Amino acid sequence: MQIVLIIAYLAVAASVVWASILASRYIDLLDRTTRLSGAFLGGVLLSAVTSLPELFTSLSATVALHKPSLCLGNILGSNLFNIAILSLCTLAAIRHVGRTRFDKGNIRVAAYLIFIYGIILLDYFELLGPEISSIKIITPIIAVLYIIAVRHLSGEQSEPDTDDNTPVTLSQKGIILRFIASSIAIIVLSIVMTYITDAVAKEFSIGAGLAGALLLGVATSLPEVSSTIALFRIKNYNIAIGNIVGSNLFNFIVLCIADVACFHESVYIYDDPKITLLLKFGFGAALLSVLMLRIRNPYVRAVCAMASVVCYALFLVI
């Protein structure tokens, strides 16, 4: 039974990666055929698609499985993992991105992520108001911050940020239809992933918080990983960075949706020690990511990137 579950988990995870690579390919084609900014394409469109696993796995964890701690661990684990991946890509391409000027919209969104972490930390220390039914006040606060942050990702660019000169043979309609098809595939596979993770957690006696952070958190972050690596390879940095910061932002709005959908209790439950570690290390990594994007110095960016990776490593070790 254990071997079957492991094989099923790996198979579904690989399928999520495949569908996500297709989605990122079509976003890159839109970048080359439209005048939309790379920050918007990466931070809104691509991040929304690559974050669909977090949305549907979190809803499944709260509504179907009634395990809100699995949802919170999934979101916080995915966000910390995403920052670690962005940092590793930055380190690998430090010669090219050391002094690169990144889109201001991406930097501002990364700053809003710090505010959201701060709001959740205030709730962790019980410094915010009471719940309305099972919905905590931080849910509408995060929703407002999300709406404000997304506005910084709009705009136009004169040229696409890519080194790929391959001729585009698909029409915009064809690109959009294929993008939608790959998105649907990601939705179906992510729902299946939730049930497999729950079965693995039971079979191997893994806590819900740890299962959410490692099994769900890493697996649902595979779309961001594959698309970010691919975009860094063609030096389309703004879409790659927008994908990560936009995905992390979208993940927090997933928490809001799950909190509203979970009628019996709030999703903001901090009784699992791993959740506490994720929150603290995630806040530190978010601060480092803003410094890494804001300061145009290769040494500072390298140090911030390494420190962000250390944050994720410490979470795994402690």
Side-chain angles (χ1 to χ4, degrees):
M1 180 63 178
Q2 291 182 347
I3 296 177
V4 173
L5 284 175
I6 293 174
I7 293 175
Y9 177 85
L10 293 176
V12 175
S15 300
V16 170
V17 171
W18 172 75
S20 302
I21 290 176
L22 290 179
S24 63
R25 176 192 173 192
Y26 299 133
I27 284 292
D28 182 63
L29 291 178
L30 286 176
D31 183 39
R32 295 162 58 191
T33 57
T34 67
R35 295 179 62 86
L36 293 173
S37 70
F40 175 80
L41 290 170
V44 178
L45 295 183
L46 183 58
S47 68
V49 171
T50 56
S51 294
L52 284 176
E54 280 85 356
L55 173 60
F56 287 92
T57 54
S58 295
L59 288 177
S60 298
T62 53
V63 177
L65 300 178
H66 304 294
K67 293 186 177 180
S69 60
L70 189 65
C71 167
L72 188 59
N74 173 32
I75 295 302
L76 295 178
S78 294
N79 281 8
L80 182 57
F81 184 72
N82 287 347
I83 295 176
I85 290 302
L86 177 61
S87 299
L88 286 173
C89 289
T90 300
L91 285 172
I94 195 65
R95 290 182 57 188
H96 300 286
V97 302
R99 297 186 184 279
T100 300
R101 183 189 296 275
F102 298 130
D103 193 292
K104 290 182 179 179
N106 286 333
I107 299 174
R108 289 168 181 168
V109 170
Y112 275 99
L113 292 173
I114 298 175
F115 295 146
I116 295 176
Y117 269 108
I119 293 297
I120 299 178
L121 279 171
L122 289 176
D123 183 65
Y124 170 76
F125 290 110
E126 299 181 349
L127 297 176
L128 292 180
E131 301 177 6
I132 301 175
S133 182
S134 64
I135 302 174
K136 287 196 172 183
I137 193 167
I138 60 175
T139 288
I141 294 176
I142 292 175
V144 171
L145 288 174
Y146 174 83
I147 293 172
I148 297 173
V150 167
R151 295 181 61 186
H152 292 294
L153 296 174
S154 62
E156 292 188 351
Q157 65 179 26
S158 58
E159 295 181 359
D161 302 324
T162 179
D163 280 359
D164 189 355
N165 296 317
T166 306
V168 179
T169 57
L170 294 173
S171 65
Q172 284 191 13
K173 180 180 179 180
I175 295 172
I176 293 173
L177 289 175
R178 285 166 173 77
F179 178 75
I180 293 173
S182 60
S183 301
I184 294 173
I186 292 173
I187 292 172
V188 174
L189 291 167
S190 62
I191 294 174
V192 175
M193 177 67 72
T194 306
Y195 290 93
I196 294 177
T197 298
D198 183 59
V200 171
K202 291 179 180 177
E203 185 69 23
F204 290 90
S205 300
I206 302 174
L210 184 60
L214 292 182
L215 299 180
L216 269 185
V218 173
T220 56
S221 289
L222 289 176
E224 288 90 345
V225 173
S226 56
S227 57
T228 298
I229 292 174
L231 290 165
F232 260 79
R233 290 183 63 184
I234 61 175
K235 300 180 181 179
N236 201 333
Y237 303 127
N238 274 325
I239 288 187
I241 294 170
N243 179 34
I244 293 297
V245 298
S247 293
N248 283 10
L249 183 67
F250 188 86
N251 286 348
F252 280 125
I253 204 68
V254 168
L255 271 183
C256 298
I257 297 172
D259 193 39
V260 173
C262 187
F263 297 106
H264 57 286
E265 58 182 321
S266 172
V267 298
Y268 305 98
I269 300 176
Y270 313 103
D271 52 358
D272 191 323
K274 287 293 183 181
I275 298 294
T276 303
L277 288 175
L278 281 171
L279 184 55
K280 293 178 179 179
F281 283 126
F283 180 72
L287 283 171
L288 290 166
S289 67
V290 172
L291 293 175
M292 182 178 68
L293 297 177
R294 180 68 180 84
I295 301 176
R296 297 174 60 190
N297 182 291
Y299 299 104
V300 173
R301 284 182 173 173
V303 170
C304 290
M306 286 188 288
S308 297
V309 174
V310 169
C311 285
Y312 186 74
L314 287 175
F315 159 71
L316 296 177
V317 173
I318 297 177

